[in-house]
Amino acid sequence: MRREARQLLAADLSISSFQPLPAVIDEFLAQRSDLQITEIHELVTMVAEKKSLDRPGASQLVELKVVQGEYPFYGLLETEPPGPLESALSAEDALVAPDLL
């Protein structure tokens, strides 16, 4: 696990909480100019096709990530068409896995 942490996390360290982090943590991290920080908000939700006249649309559980900063720090995020994530997305865009499409 230790050897694979960078690829599994796409980073060296992950701090997560279901509540906002205490201000003292943000202050500590802000003082560390040697750190590169990306904020990620995650939400598990459902998506569904529009229903037809007589039947409901198919639904699927999805994980939504909102990324503010560089992502991932390590490894590659493969996209179709290939290219850097920053050039593929704007504030109105989303990247989705092929199985969701």
Side-chain angles (χ1 to χ4, degrees), residues 11-63:
D12 291 313
L13 175 68
S14 173
I15 299 171
S16 62
S17 174
F18 290 109
Q19 302 294 323
L21 293 174
V24 67
I25 293 176
D26 287 332
E27 293 165 6
F28 171 77
L29 295 174
Q31 294 171 6
R32 299 287 310 266
S33 61
D34 58 325
L35 297 180
Q36 186 175 4
I37 299 170
T38 292
E39 193 170 320
I40 300 174
H41 297 268
E42 296 177 299
L43 170 71
V44 176
T45 189
M46 296 290 292
V47 295
E49 296 176 320
K50 289 183 180 180
K51 56 183 170 179
S52 65
L53 296 174
D54 294 346
R55 68 172 189 89
S59 62
Q60 184 172 342
L61 185 67
V62 297
E63 179 181 23

Side-chain angles (χ1 to χ4, degrees), residues 70-81:
E70 187 176 330
Y71 181 84
F73 289 138
Y74 303 108
L76 296 172
L77 182 64
E78 295 181 22
T79 62
E80 184 60 42

